[in-house]
Structures are given as structure tokens and as C-alpha cells.
Amino acid sequence: MNKFVREEVSFLKGARTRWRELKYVLGVIYQFYKGFRKLHFVGPCVTVFGSARFKEDHPYYEMARKVSAEISKLGFAIMTGGGPGIMEAGNKGAHLNGGKSVGLNIDLPFEQFHNKYIEPSRLLTFDYFFVRKVMFMKYSQGFIVLPGGMGTMDELFEALTLIQTGKIARFPIVLVGTSYWGGLVEWLKNTMLEKEHNIHAEDLNLFRLVDTAEEAAEHIFRFYDKYVLKPNF
């Protein structure tokens, strides 16, 4: 466990001395500054999320590569968490098709290392998850969400919550893989909406479920065409 992970664990345990809290805040400010400086000129991005555990021969890895290649053709940079698996496939799809390939890596005690398809000038390594998550939200014009674990679910539902509550402007969120996401979508509809009434019907329109790379790219294109929106740059 590196010093930043240890510091984050310590920070979240509760109150500490005011000097330690101030030092932590200054470190967070520096992380934000580093992100703003690196990403300011990167241009419009679509972020690809998914598991770090899929290998190159897995169908979802290949799907991520294809989706990213298609999105790159629309002129968007591809941004990922910078690691292996789906993240590597996303960066690979952009890199091999001449698109911009951006990686926001994170120091973890397991499984995270940056992949070789990220342009060195567009690679960032963060120490704190929440700073990294803010960068995804701030600089993305769309999310492509492939099968993944807890981290993928976290990013997906944070984006949906921020859009639902009006904290960020609406942007396209595409879930790729009906066989993987279908059960979750059915639960949202049948239990969360119809049985318990914990969301509104229109909340289910905040995302699109697709099965092909072409469908994912088409939804991104149609979204910005329909709403006559321009990227934030």
C-alpha cells in the first residue's frame, strides 16, 4: 500500500489534527491542478468504462476496441481509466485508428497499471479516486459503459445521479451488452420504478442499452445532433 493510499485510509477514519487535514487538502488541490492543466486542451472526449480483468481474447475486450474505434471516427478523443482490460481496449481502439487516446490512471494496491496505448502527453496518474472521478465528469461528452465490476457501477450511477439531480448537463450514456446489463435494467424498471416508485419513468431514458459498436457510436452522434449541443470546448 503506497503512501497516498495509506493517507486516504487515514483521512476517511475521522477527525485528525488540523495540520494533517490542511496538508491533505493542499495535496488534493495539487491533484486537481495537475488534472486541469493536462486536460484543458485535450478536446471533446468520450469515456469508456469497464472491467480491468478482461483479457485480449475476451469478446468484451474486442467490443470495447471496436466501440472506441467508431467513436474516434466521430472526432472524439477516447478517455479511459488508463489500466488493463476494457480500458486498454478502449485506448487501443483510439490509438490504432489515429484518434486521441487519454488515460486517467490511479495508484492501487492491486491490478492497476497504465496500458501502452495511451499517448504519454495524455497520461495522468491520480492518487485519489474522487479527484479522478471529477475529471471524468468534467471533461467527458459521453460515457460508454461495458461490463465491469464495482468501480464501473460506481461511475455509471454517479453519472446518472448527477444528471438526474441537475448537477451536470445531460450527456449520452450507453450501456453495451444486453446479456450483461439487461437484468439490471429490468430491475430498475420492475422494482425501482414500477413496484417501489423510487425513480421517475423518464429516468430510464438517461441511458441507452445497445449490443454493437455501431449502435453505440450512432447514439453519441444522434444525441448531439438532436439536442444541437456542442462539446464543452
PDB file of all heavy atoms in Angstrom, residues 30-67:
ATOM      1  N   TYR A  30      -3.476  20.156  -5.408  1.00  0.00           N
ATOM      2  CA  TYR A  30      -2.440  19.911  -6.411  1.00  0.00           C
ATOM      3  C   TYR A  30      -2.903  18.876  -7.436  1.00  0.00           C
ATOM      4  O   TYR A  30      -2.640  19.016  -8.637  1.00  0.00           O
ATOM      5  CB  TYR A  30      -1.150  19.433  -5.746  1.00  0.00           C
ATOM      6  CG  TYR A  30      -0.106  19.012  -6.760  1.00  0.00           C
ATOM      7  CD1 TYR A  30       0.536  19.962  -7.549  1.00  0.00           C
ATOM      8  CD2 TYR A  30       0.211  17.671  -6.957  1.00  0.00           C
ATOM      9  CE1 TYR A  30       1.465  19.594  -8.497  1.00  0.00           C
ATOM     10  CE2 TYR A  30       1.140  17.289  -7.901  1.00  0.00           C
ATOM     11  CZ  TYR A  30       1.770  18.249  -8.677  1.00  0.00           C
ATOM     12  OH  TYR A  30       2.681  17.873  -9.628  1.00  0.00           O
ATOM     13  N   GLN A  31      -3.613  17.831  -6.972  1.00  0.00           N
ATOM     14  CA  GLN A  31      -4.127  16.817  -7.896  1.00  0.00           C
ATOM     15  C   GLN A  31      -5.111  17.430  -8.893  1.00  0.00           C
ATOM     16  O   GLN A  31      -5.080  17.136 -10.081  1.00  0.00           O
ATOM     17  CB  GLN A  31      -4.806  15.708  -7.112  1.00  0.00           C
ATOM     18  CG  GLN A  31      -3.870  14.848  -6.293  1.00  0.00           C
ATOM     19  CD  GLN A  31      -3.265  13.723  -7.108  1.00  0.00           C
ATOM     20  OE1 GLN A  31      -3.962  12.850  -7.607  1.00  0.00           O
ATOM     21  NE2 GLN A  31      -1.963  13.759  -7.259  1.00  0.00           N
ATOM     22  N   PHE A  32      -5.987  18.295  -8.417  1.00  0.00           N
ATOM     23  CA  PHE A  32      -6.927  18.981  -9.303  1.00  0.00           C
ATOM     24  C   PHE A  32      -6.180  19.862 -10.301  1.00  0.00           C
ATOM     25  O   PHE A  32      -6.480  19.861 -11.505  1.00  0.00           O
ATOM     26  CB  PHE A  32      -7.914  19.823  -8.501  1.00  0.00           C
ATOM     27  CG  PHE A  32      -9.109  19.071  -8.010  1.00  0.00           C
ATOM     28  CD1 PHE A  32      -9.328  18.896  -6.657  1.00  0.00           C
ATOM     29  CD2 PHE A  32     -10.031  18.551  -8.909  1.00  0.00           C
ATOM     30  CE1 PHE A  32     -10.444  18.202  -6.201  1.00  0.00           C
ATOM     31  CE2 PHE A  32     -11.144  17.854  -8.464  1.00  0.00           C
ATOM     32  CZ  PHE A  32     -11.363  17.682  -7.106  1.00  0.00           C
ATOM     33  N   TYR A  33      -5.219  20.616  -9.815  1.00  0.00           N
ATOM     34  CA  TYR A  33      -4.449  21.497 -10.687  1.00  0.00           C
ATOM     35  C   TYR A  33      -3.757  20.706 -11.793  1.00  0.00           C
ATOM     36  O   TYR A  33      -3.772  21.100 -12.966  1.00  0.00           O
ATOM     37  CB  TYR A  33      -3.410  22.263  -9.859  1.00  0.00           C
ATOM     38  CG  TYR A  33      -2.385  22.992 -10.698  1.00  0.00           C
ATOM     39  CD1 TYR A  33      -2.710  24.162 -11.378  1.00  0.00           C
ATOM     40  CD2 TYR A  33      -1.081  22.486 -10.829  1.00  0.00           C
ATOM     41  CE1 TYR A  33      -1.771  24.818 -12.152  1.00  0.00           C
ATOM     42  CE2 TYR A  33      -0.141  23.141 -11.597  1.00  0.00           C
ATOM     43  CZ  TYR A  33      -0.491  24.305 -12.268  1.00  0.00           C
ATOM     44  OH  TYR A  33       0.438  24.946 -13.044  1.00  0.00           O
ATOM     45  N   LYS A  34      -3.174  19.582 -11.421  1.00  0.00           N
ATOM     46  CA  LYS A  34      -2.489  18.744 -12.398  1.00  0.00           C
ATOM     47  C   LYS A  34      -3.464  18.256 -13.468  1.00  0.00           C
ATOM     48  O   LYS A  34      -3.138  18.252 -14.663  1.00  0.00           O
ATOM     49  CB  LYS A  34      -1.849  17.549 -11.677  1.00  0.00           C
ATOM     50  CG  LYS A  34      -1.006  16.650 -12.561  1.00  0.00           C
ATOM     51  CD  LYS A  34      -0.223  15.635 -11.736  1.00  0.00           C
ATOM     52  CE  LYS A  34      -1.109  14.589 -11.111  1.00  0.00           C
ATOM     53  NZ  LYS A  34      -0.334  13.468 -10.506  1.00  0.00           N
ATOM     54  N   GLY A  35      -4.654  17.857 -13.048  1.00  0.00           N
ATOM     55  CA  GLY A  35      -5.662  17.396 -13.999  1.00  0.00           C
ATOM     56  C   GLY A  35      -6.145  18.501 -14.917  1.00  0.00           C
ATOM     57  O   GLY A  35      -6.249  18.322 -16.129  1.00  0.00           O
ATOM     58  N   PHE A  36      -6.452  19.678 -14.351  1.00  0.00           N
ATOM     59  CA  PHE A  36      -6.913  20.803 -15.166  1.00  0.00           C
ATOM     60  C   PHE A  36      -5.871  21.180 -16.212  1.00  0.00           C
ATOM     61  O   PHE A  36      -6.192  21.439 -17.378  1.00  0.00           O
ATOM     62  CB  PHE A  36      -7.197  22.023 -14.282  1.00  0.00           C
ATOM     63  CG  PHE A  36      -8.292  21.820 -13.264  1.00  0.00           C
ATOM     64  CD1 PHE A  36      -8.293  22.560 -12.091  1.00  0.00           C
ATOM     65  CD2 PHE A  36      -9.308  20.899 -13.474  1.00  0.00           C
ATOM     66  CE1 PHE A  36      -9.290  22.385 -11.151  1.00  0.00           C
ATOM     67  CE2 PHE A  36     -10.315  20.718 -12.531  1.00  0.00           C
ATOM     68  CZ  PHE A  36     -10.305  21.462 -11.364  1.00  0.00           C
ATOM     69  N   ARG A  37      -4.624  21.219 -15.790  1.00  0.00           N
ATOM     70  CA  ARG A  37      -3.552  21.640 -16.696  1.00  0.00           C
ATOM     71  C   ARG A  37      -3.377  20.661 -17.858  1.00  0.00           C
ATOM     72  O   ARG A  37      -3.191  21.068 -19.000  1.00  0.00           O
ATOM     73  CB  ARG A  37      -2.251  21.761 -15.901  1.00  0.00           C
ATOM     74  CG  ARG A  37      -1.117  22.376 -16.681  1.00  0.00           C
ATOM     75  CD  ARG A  37       0.119  22.512 -15.820  1.00  0.00           C
ATOM     76  NE  ARG A  37       1.205  23.127 -16.551  1.00  0.00           N
ATOM     77  CZ  ARG A  37       2.481  22.908 -16.297  1.00  0.00           C
ATOM     78  NH1 ARG A  37       2.822  22.084 -15.326  1.00  0.00           N
ATOM     79  NH2 ARG A  37       3.420  23.507 -16.989  1.00  0.00           N
ATOM     80  N   LYS A  38      -3.446  19.377 -17.571  1.00  0.00           N
ATOM     81  CA  LYS A  38      -3.211  18.361 -18.601  1.00  0.00           C
ATOM     82  C   LYS A  38      -4.393  18.222 -19.559  1.00  0.00           C
ATOM     83  O   LYS A  38      -4.205  18.009 -20.754  1.00  0.00           O
ATOM     84  CB  LYS A  38      -2.927  17.025 -17.928  1.00  0.00           C
ATOM     85  CG  LYS A  38      -2.665  15.872 -18.897  1.00  0.00           C
ATOM     86  CD  LYS A  38      -1.239  15.853 -19.402  1.00  0.00           C
ATOM     87  CE  LYS A  38      -0.291  15.303 -18.385  1.00  0.00           C
ATOM     88  NZ  LYS A  38       1.044  15.002 -18.965  1.00  0.00           N
ATOM     89  N   LEU A  39      -5.611  18.367 -19.061  1.00  0.00           N
ATOM     90  CA  LEU A  39      -6.794  18.052 -19.858  1.00  0.00           C
ATOM     91  C   LEU A  39      -7.440  19.273 -20.515  1.00  0.00           C
ATOM     92  O   LEU A  39      -8.354  19.115 -21.325  1.00  0.00           O
ATOM     93  CB  LEU A  39      -7.828  17.341 -18.987  1.00  0.00           C
ATOM     94  CG  LEU A  39      -7.385  15.974 -18.435  1.00  0.00           C
ATOM     95  CD1 LEU A  39      -8.420  15.437 -17.451  1.00  0.00           C
ATOM     96  CD2 LEU A  39      -7.151  14.968 -19.564  1.00  0.00           C
ATOM     97  N   HIS A  40      -6.952  20.454 -20.204  1.00  0.00           N
ATOM     98  CA  HIS A  40      -7.603  21.667 -20.693  1.00  0.00           C
ATOM     99  C   HIS A  40      -7.686  21.720 -22.213  1.00  0.00           C
ATOM    100  O   HIS A  40      -8.687  22.173 -22.772  1.00  0.00           O
ATOM    101  CB  HIS A  40      -6.855  22.899 -20.172  1.00  0.00           C
ATOM    102  CG  HIS A  40      -7.508  24.193 -20.532  1.00  0.00           C
ATOM    103  ND1 HIS A  40      -8.656  24.652 -19.927  1.00  0.00           N
ATOM    104  CD2 HIS A  40      -7.182  25.125 -21.475  1.00  0.00           C
ATOM    105  CE1 HIS A  40      -9.011  25.806 -20.466  1.00  0.00           C
ATOM    106  NE2 HIS A  40      -8.137  26.127 -21.398  1.00  0.00           N
ATOM    107  N   PHE A  41      -6.676  21.244 -22.894  1.00  0.00           N
ATOM    108  CA  PHE A  41      -6.630  21.356 -24.350  1.00  0.00           C
ATOM    109  C   PHE A  41      -6.853  20.024 -25.064  1.00  0.00           C
ATOM    110  O   PHE A  41      -6.589  19.899 -26.265  1.00  0.00           O
ATOM    111  CB  PHE A  41      -5.287  21.947 -24.800  1.00  0.00           C
ATOM    112  CG  PHE A  41      -5.059  23.351 -24.307  1.00  0.00           C
ATOM    113  CD1 PHE A  41      -4.156  23.610 -23.287  1.00  0.00           C
ATOM    114  CD2 PHE A  41      -5.763  24.421 -24.848  1.00  0.00           C
ATOM    115  CE1 PHE A  41      -3.945  24.902 -22.825  1.00  0.00           C
ATOM    116  CE2 PHE A  41      -5.556  25.711 -24.394  1.00  0.00           C
ATOM    117  CZ  PHE A  41      -4.643  25.964 -23.378  1.00  0.00           C
ATOM    118  N   VAL A  42      -7.351  19.021 -24.352  1.00  0.00           N
ATOM    119  CA  VAL A  42      -7.462  17.697 -24.967  1.00  0.00           C
ATOM    120  C   VAL A  42      -8.601  17.626 -25.981  1.00  0.00           C
ATOM    121  O   VAL A  42      -8.596  16.791 -26.876  1.00  0.00           O
ATOM    122  CB  VAL A  42      -7.627  16.612 -23.879  1.00  0.00           C
ATOM    123  CG1 VAL A  42      -9.033  16.604 -23.302  1.00  0.00           C
ATOM    124  CG2 VAL A  42      -7.263  15.234 -24.425  1.00  0.00           C
ATOM    125  N   GLY A  43      -9.581  18.510 -25.865  1.00  0.00           N
ATOM    126  CA  GLY A  43     -10.707  18.487 -26.800  1.00  0.00           C
ATOM    127  C   GLY A  43     -11.830  17.587 -26.310  1.00  0.00           C
ATOM    128  O   GLY A  43     -11.744  16.975 -25.244  1.00  0.00           O
ATOM    129  N   PRO A  44     -12.913  17.471 -27.084  1.00  0.00           N
ATOM    130  CA  PRO A  44     -14.072  16.670 -26.661  1.00  0.00           C
ATOM    131  C   PRO A  44     -13.722  15.194 -26.514  1.00  0.00           C
ATOM    132  O   PRO A  44     -13.065  14.614 -27.367  1.00  0.00           O
ATOM    133  CB  PRO A  44     -15.092  16.898 -27.773  1.00  0.00           C
ATOM    134  CG  PRO A  44     -14.295  17.330 -28.953  1.00  0.00           C
ATOM    135  CD  PRO A  44     -13.131  18.091 -28.412  1.00  0.00           C
ATOM    136  N   CYS A  45     -14.164  14.599 -25.414  1.00  0.00           N
ATOM    137  CA  CYS A  45     -13.834  13.207 -25.090  1.00  0.00           C
ATOM    138  C   CYS A  45     -15.098  12.382 -24.846  1.00  0.00           C
ATOM    139  O   CYS A  45     -16.102  12.896 -24.360  1.00  0.00           O
ATOM    140  CB  CYS A  45     -12.994  13.129 -23.813  1.00  0.00           C
ATOM    141  SG  CYS A  45     -11.348  13.817 -23.921  1.00  0.00           S
ATOM    142  N   VAL A  46     -15.009  11.113 -25.156  1.00  0.00           N
ATOM    143  CA  VAL A  46     -15.981  10.122 -24.701  1.00  0.00           C
ATOM    144  C   VAL A  46     -15.210   9.126 -23.843  1.00  0.00           C
ATOM    145  O   VAL A  46     -14.150   8.641 -24.237  1.00  0.00           O
ATOM    146  CB  VAL A  46     -16.669   9.407 -25.875  1.00  0.00           C
ATOM    147  CG1 VAL A  46     -17.473   8.206 -25.386  1.00  0.00           C
ATOM    148  CG2 VAL A  46     -17.581  10.380 -26.629  1.00  0.00           C
ATOM    149  N   THR A  47     -15.736   8.850 -22.655  1.00  0.00           N
ATOM    150  CA  THR A  47     -15.047   7.954 -21.730  1.00  0.00           C
ATOM    151  C   THR A  47     -15.595   6.545 -21.844  1.00  0.00           C
ATOM    152  O   THR A  47     -16.810   6.346 -21.898  1.00  0.00           O
ATOM    153  CB  THR A  47     -15.185   8.463 -20.285  1.00  0.00           C
ATOM    154  OG1 THR A  47     -14.522   9.728 -20.173  1.00  0.00           O
ATOM    155  CG2 THR A  47     -14.561   7.490 -19.299  1.00  0.00           C
ATOM    156  N   VAL A  48     -14.697   5.582 -21.877  1.00  0.00           N
ATOM    157  CA  VAL A  48     -15.048   4.163 -21.950  1.00  0.00           C
ATOM    158  C   VAL A  48     -14.736   3.520 -20.605  1.00  0.00           C
ATOM    159  O   VAL A  48     -13.592   3.553 -20.141  1.00  0.00           O
ATOM    160  CB  VAL A  48     -14.275   3.456 -23.079  1.00  0.00           C
ATOM    161  CG1 VAL A  48     -14.573   1.960 -23.083  1.00  0.00           C
ATOM    162  CG2 VAL A  48     -14.636   4.076 -24.431  1.00  0.00           C
ATOM    163  N   PHE A  49     -15.762   2.928 -19.981  1.00  0.00           N
ATOM    164  CA  PHE A  49     -15.608   2.252 -18.701  1.00  0.00           C
ATOM    165  C   PHE A  49     -15.806   0.749 -18.865  1.00  0.00           C
ATOM    166  O   PHE A  49     -16.524   0.297 -19.767  1.00  0.00           O
ATOM    167  CB  PHE A  49     -16.637   2.758 -17.686  1.00  0.00           C
ATOM    168  CG  PHE A  49     -16.411   4.158 -17.213  1.00  0.00           C
ATOM    169  CD1 PHE A  49     -17.298   5.162 -17.545  1.00  0.00           C
ATOM    170  CD2 PHE A  49     -15.316   4.477 -16.427  1.00  0.00           C
ATOM    171  CE1 PHE A  49     -17.110   6.461 -17.107  1.00  0.00           C
ATOM    172  CE2 PHE A  49     -15.112   5.774 -15.979  1.00  0.00           C
ATOM    173  CZ  PHE A  49     -16.012   6.765 -16.320  1.00  0.00           C
ATOM    174  N   GLY A  50     -15.224  -0.030 -17.962  1.00  0.00           N
ATOM    175  CA  GLY A  50     -15.410  -1.479 -17.963  1.00  0.00           C
ATOM    176  C   GLY A  50     -14.334  -2.149 -17.128  1.00  0.00           C
ATOM    177  O   GLY A  50     -13.415  -1.498 -16.619  1.00  0.00           O
ATOM    178  N   SER A  51     -14.445  -3.436 -17.011  1.00  0.00           N
ATOM    179  CA  SER A  51     -13.573  -4.200 -16.123  1.00  0.00           C
ATOM    180  C   SER A  51     -12.111  -4.179 -16.561  1.00  0.00           C
ATOM    181  O   SER A  51     -11.800  -4.255 -17.753  1.00  0.00           O
ATOM    182  CB  SER A  51     -14.047  -5.655 -16.045  1.00  0.00           C
ATOM    183  OG  SER A  51     -13.157  -6.421 -15.261  1.00  0.00           O
ATOM    184  N   ALA A  52     -11.232  -4.131 -15.559  1.00  0.00           N
ATOM    185  CA  ALA A  52      -9.794  -4.240 -15.805  1.00  0.00           C
ATOM    186  C   ALA A  52      -9.376  -5.695 -16.003  1.00  0.00           C
ATOM    187  O   ALA A  52      -8.224  -5.961 -16.344  1.00  0.00           O
ATOM    188  CB  ALA A  52      -9.014  -3.642 -14.639  1.00  0.00           C
ATOM    189  N   ARG A  53     -10.277  -6.645 -15.814  1.00  0.00           N
ATOM    190  CA  ARG A  53      -9.898  -8.050 -15.737  1.00  0.00           C
ATOM    191  C   ARG A  53     -10.072  -8.829 -17.030  1.00  0.00           C
ATOM    192  O   ARG A  53      -9.632  -9.979 -17.128  1.00  0.00           O
ATOM    193  CB  ARG A  53     -10.690  -8.721 -14.609  1.00  0.00           C
ATOM    194  CG  ARG A  53     -10.493  -8.001 -13.283  1.00  0.00           C
ATOM    195  CD  ARG A  53     -11.157  -8.691 -12.123  1.00  0.00           C
ATOM    196  NE  ARG A  53     -11.016  -7.897 -10.900  1.00  0.00           N
ATOM    197  CZ  ARG A  53     -11.305  -8.335  -9.687  1.00  0.00           C
ATOM    198  NH1 ARG A  53     -11.762  -9.568  -9.522  1.00  0.00           N
ATOM    199  NH2 ARG A  53     -11.149  -7.554  -8.643  1.00  0.00           N
ATOM    200  N   PHE A  54     -10.711  -8.237 -18.026  1.00  0.00           N
ATOM    201  CA  PHE A  54     -10.884  -8.950 -19.293  1.00  0.00           C
ATOM    202  C   PHE A  54      -9.574  -8.981 -20.075  1.00  0.00           C
ATOM    203  O   PHE A  54      -8.894  -7.972 -20.226  1.00  0.00           O
ATOM    204  CB  PHE A  54     -11.972  -8.298 -20.146  1.00  0.00           C
ATOM    205  CG  PHE A  54     -13.360  -8.441 -19.583  1.00  0.00           C
ATOM    206  CD1 PHE A  54     -14.169  -7.335 -19.405  1.00  0.00           C
ATOM    207  CD2 PHE A  54     -13.855  -9.694 -19.246  1.00  0.00           C
ATOM    208  CE1 PHE A  54     -15.454  -7.461 -18.896  1.00  0.00           C
ATOM    209  CE2 PHE A  54     -15.139  -9.839 -18.733  1.00  0.00           C
ATOM    210  CZ  PHE A  54     -15.939  -8.721 -18.553  1.00  0.00           C
ATOM    211  N   LYS A  55      -9.250 -10.140 -20.613  1.00  0.00           N
ATOM    212  CA  LYS A  55      -8.037 -10.309 -21.407  1.00  0.00           C
ATOM    213  C   LYS A  55      -8.321  -9.997 -22.880  1.00  0.00           C
ATOM    214  O   LYS A  55      -9.469  -9.861 -23.304  1.00  0.00           O
ATOM    215  CB  LYS A  55      -7.505 -11.733 -21.264  1.00  0.00           C
ATOM    216  CG  LYS A  55      -7.235 -12.164 -19.828  1.00  0.00           C
ATOM    217  CD  LYS A  55      -6.236 -11.240 -19.133  1.00  0.00           C
ATOM    218  CE  LYS A  55      -5.960 -11.697 -17.700  1.00  0.00           C
ATOM    219  NZ  LYS A  55      -5.083 -10.753 -16.981  1.00  0.00           N
ATOM    220  N   GLU A  56      -7.241  -9.938 -23.647  1.00  0.00           N
ATOM    221  CA  GLU A  56      -7.343  -9.516 -25.041  1.00  0.00           C
ATOM    222  C   GLU A  56      -8.207 -10.435 -25.884  1.00  0.00           C
ATOM    223  O   GLU A  56      -8.784 -10.005 -26.893  1.00  0.00           O
ATOM    224  CB  GLU A  56      -5.936  -9.412 -25.641  1.00  0.00           C
ATOM    225  CG  GLU A  56      -5.884  -8.654 -26.948  1.00  0.00           C
ATOM    226  CD  GLU A  56      -4.462  -8.332 -27.364  1.00  0.00           C
ATOM    227  OE1 GLU A  56      -3.526  -8.661 -26.609  1.00  0.00           O
ATOM    228  OE2 GLU A  56      -4.291  -7.745 -28.454  1.00  0.00           O
ATOM    229  N   ASP A  57      -8.323 -11.705 -25.511  1.00  0.00           N
ATOM    230  CA  ASP A  57      -9.114 -12.651 -26.293  1.00  0.00           C
ATOM    231  C   ASP A  57     -10.584 -12.709 -25.870  1.00  0.00           C
ATOM    232  O   ASP A  57     -11.354 -13.499 -26.396  1.00  0.00           O
ATOM    233  CB  ASP A  57      -8.507 -14.055 -26.211  1.00  0.00           C
ATOM    234  CG  ASP A  57      -8.429 -14.579 -24.774  1.00  0.00           C
ATOM    235  OD1 ASP A  57      -8.714 -13.801 -23.836  1.00  0.00           O
ATOM    236  OD2 ASP A  57      -8.062 -15.759 -24.599  1.00  0.00           O
ATOM    237  N   HIS A  58     -10.983 -11.853 -24.941  1.00  0.00           N
ATOM    238  CA  HIS A  58     -12.376 -11.863 -24.482  1.00  0.00           C
ATOM    239  C   HIS A  58     -13.250 -11.037 -25.430  1.00  0.00           C
ATOM    240  O   HIS A  58     -12.829  -9.982 -25.900  1.00  0.00           O
ATOM    241  CB  HIS A  58     -12.464 -11.292 -23.066  1.00  0.00           C
ATOM    242  CG  HIS A  58     -13.745 -11.626 -22.369  1.00  0.00           C
ATOM    243  ND1 HIS A  58     -14.943 -11.014 -22.674  1.00  0.00           N
ATOM    244  CD2 HIS A  58     -14.023 -12.530 -21.387  1.00  0.00           C
ATOM    245  CE1 HIS A  58     -15.905 -11.506 -21.914  1.00  0.00           C
ATOM    246  NE2 HIS A  58     -15.367 -12.431 -21.120  1.00  0.00           N
ATOM    247  N   PRO A  59     -14.464 -11.495 -25.712  1.00  0.00           N
ATOM    248  CA  PRO A  59     -15.359 -10.737 -26.614  1.00  0.00           C
ATOM    249  C   PRO A  59     -15.620  -9.302 -26.162  1.00  0.00           C
ATOM    250  O   PRO A  59     -15.747  -8.408 -27.006  1.00  0.00           O
ATOM    251  CB  PRO A  59     -16.655 -11.562 -26.594  1.00  0.00           C
ATOM    252  CG  PRO A  59     -16.225 -12.953 -26.264  1.00  0.00           C
ATOM    253  CD  PRO A  59     -15.057 -12.799 -25.333  1.00  0.00           C
ATOM    254  N   TYR A  60     -15.698  -9.069 -24.863  1.00  0.00           N
ATOM    255  CA  TYR A  60     -15.950  -7.705 -24.397  1.00  0.00           C
ATOM    256  C   TYR A  60     -14.745  -6.798 -24.646  1.00  0.00           C
ATOM    257  O   TYR A  60     -14.901  -5.590 -24.876  1.00  0.00           O
ATOM    258  CB  TYR A  60     -16.311  -7.696 -22.917  1.00  0.00           C
ATOM    259  CG  TYR A  60     -17.683  -8.244 -22.616  1.00  0.00           C
ATOM    260  CD1 TYR A  60     -17.899  -9.079 -21.518  1.00  0.00           C
ATOM    261  CD2 TYR A  60     -18.784  -7.939 -23.428  1.00  0.00           C
ATOM    262  CE1 TYR A  60     -19.165  -9.590 -21.230  1.00  0.00           C
ATOM    263  CE2 TYR A  60     -20.042  -8.448 -23.149  1.00  0.00           C
ATOM    264  CZ  TYR A  60     -20.233  -9.271 -22.052  1.00  0.00           C
ATOM    265  OH  TYR A  60     -21.473  -9.771 -21.777  1.00  0.00           O
ATOM    266  N   TYR A  61     -13.545  -7.336 -24.591  1.00  0.00           N
ATOM    267  CA  TYR A  61     -12.345  -6.573 -24.926  1.00  0.00           C
ATOM    268  C   TYR A  61     -12.423  -6.119 -26.382  1.00  0.00           C
ATOM    269  O   TYR A  61     -12.196  -4.946 -26.702  1.00  0.00           O
ATOM    270  CB  TYR A  61     -11.102  -7.428 -24.691  1.00  0.00           C
ATOM    271  CG  TYR A  61      -9.772  -6.723 -24.959  1.00  0.00           C
ATOM    272  CD1 TYR A  61      -8.976  -6.289 -23.906  1.00  0.00           C
ATOM    273  CD2 TYR A  61      -9.309  -6.519 -26.258  1.00  0.00           C
ATOM    274  CE1 TYR A  61      -7.762  -5.653 -24.137  1.00  0.00           C
ATOM    275  CE2 TYR A  61      -8.103  -5.882 -26.508  1.00  0.00           C
ATOM    276  CZ  TYR A  61      -7.332  -5.454 -25.444  1.00  0.00           C
ATOM    277  OH  TYR A  61      -6.124  -4.823 -25.699  1.00  0.00           O
ATOM    278  N   GLU A  62     -12.759  -7.049 -27.252  1.00  0.00           N
ATOM    279  CA  GLU A  62     -12.854  -6.727 -28.677  1.00  0.00           C
ATOM    280  C   GLU A  62     -13.972  -5.728 -28.939  1.00  0.00           C
ATOM    281  O   GLU A  62     -13.838  -4.821 -29.771  1.00  0.00           O
ATOM    282  CB  GLU A  62     -13.069  -8.003 -29.486  1.00  0.00           C
ATOM    283  CG  GLU A  62     -13.197  -7.798 -30.991  1.00  0.00           C
ATOM    284  CD  GLU A  62     -11.961  -7.166 -31.636  1.00  0.00           C
ATOM    285  OE1 GLU A  62     -10.881  -7.147 -31.001  1.00  0.00           O
ATOM    286  OE2 GLU A  62     -12.081  -6.677 -32.773  1.00  0.00           O
ATOM    287  N   MET A  63     -15.086  -5.863 -28.219  1.00  0.00           N
ATOM    288  CA  MET A  63     -16.185  -4.913 -28.376  1.00  0.00           C
ATOM    289  C   MET A  63     -15.746  -3.509 -27.968  1.00  0.00           C
ATOM    290  O   MET A  63     -16.056  -2.524 -28.642  1.00  0.00           O
ATOM    291  CB  MET A  63     -17.380  -5.354 -27.537  1.00  0.00           C
ATOM    292  CG  MET A  63     -18.557  -4.375 -27.544  1.00  0.00           C
ATOM    293  SD  MET A  63     -19.240  -4.094 -29.203  1.00  0.00           S
ATOM    294  CE  MET A  63     -20.074  -5.672 -29.440  1.00  0.00           C
ATOM    295  N   ALA A  64     -15.006  -3.411 -26.867  1.00  0.00           N
ATOM    296  CA  ALA A  64     -14.521  -2.106 -26.415  1.00  0.00           C
ATOM    297  C   ALA A  64     -13.599  -1.475 -27.452  1.00  0.00           C
ATOM    298  O   ALA A  64     -13.640  -0.263 -27.693  1.00  0.00           O
ATOM    299  CB  ALA A  64     -13.809  -2.250 -25.079  1.00  0.00           C
ATOM    300  N   ARG A  65     -12.752  -2.287 -28.053  1.00  0.00           N
ATOM    301  CA  ARG A  65     -11.843  -1.773 -29.092  1.00  0.00           C
ATOM    302  C   ARG A  65     -12.641  -1.243 -30.279  1.00  0.00           C
ATOM    303  O   ARG A  65     -12.366  -0.150 -30.796  1.00  0.00           O
ATOM    304  CB  ARG A  65     -10.886  -2.870 -29.548  1.00  0.00           C
ATOM    305  CG  ARG A  65      -9.817  -2.381 -30.513  1.00  0.00           C
ATOM    306  CD  ARG A  65      -9.153  -3.517 -31.251  1.00  0.00           C
ATOM    307  NE  ARG A  65     -10.081  -4.256 -32.108  1.00  0.00           N
ATOM    308  CZ  ARG A  65     -10.530  -3.819 -33.283  1.00  0.00           C
ATOM    309  NH1 ARG A  65     -10.152  -2.628 -33.739  1.00  0.00           N
ATOM    310  NH2 ARG A  65     -11.357  -4.554 -33.989  1.00  0.00           N
ATOM    311  N   LYS A  66     -13.650  -2.000 -30.704  1.00  0.00           N
ATOM    312  CA  LYS A  66     -14.468  -1.588 -31.849  1.00  0.00           C
ATOM    313  C   LYS A  66     -15.263  -0.320 -31.552  1.00  0.00           C
ATOM    314  O   LYS A  66     -15.352   0.589 -32.385  1.00  0.00           O
ATOM    315  CB  LYS A  66     -15.423  -2.718 -32.234  1.00  0.00           C
ATOM    316  CG  LYS A  66     -14.759  -3.913 -32.891  1.00  0.00           C
ATOM    317  CD  LYS A  66     -15.802  -4.964 -33.259  1.00  0.00           C
ATOM    318  CE  LYS A  66     -15.166  -6.162 -33.962  1.00  0.00           C
ATOM    319  NZ  LYS A  66     -16.177  -7.197 -34.288  1.00  0.00           N
ATOM    320  N   VAL A  67     -15.865  -0.267 -30.375  1.00  0.00           N
ATOM    321  CA  VAL A  67     -16.636   0.919 -29.989  1.00  0.00           C
ATOM    322  C   VAL A  67     -15.748   2.157 -30.002  1.00  0.00           C
ATOM    323  O   VAL A  67     -16.112   3.202 -30.549  1.00  0.00           O
ATOM    324  CB  VAL A  67     -17.255   0.725 -28.586  1.00  0.00           C
ATOM    325  CG1 VAL A  67     -17.813   2.048 -28.067  1.00  0.00           C
ATOM    326  CG2 VAL A  67     -18.365  -0.321 -28.619  1.00  0.00           C
TER     327      VAL A  67
END
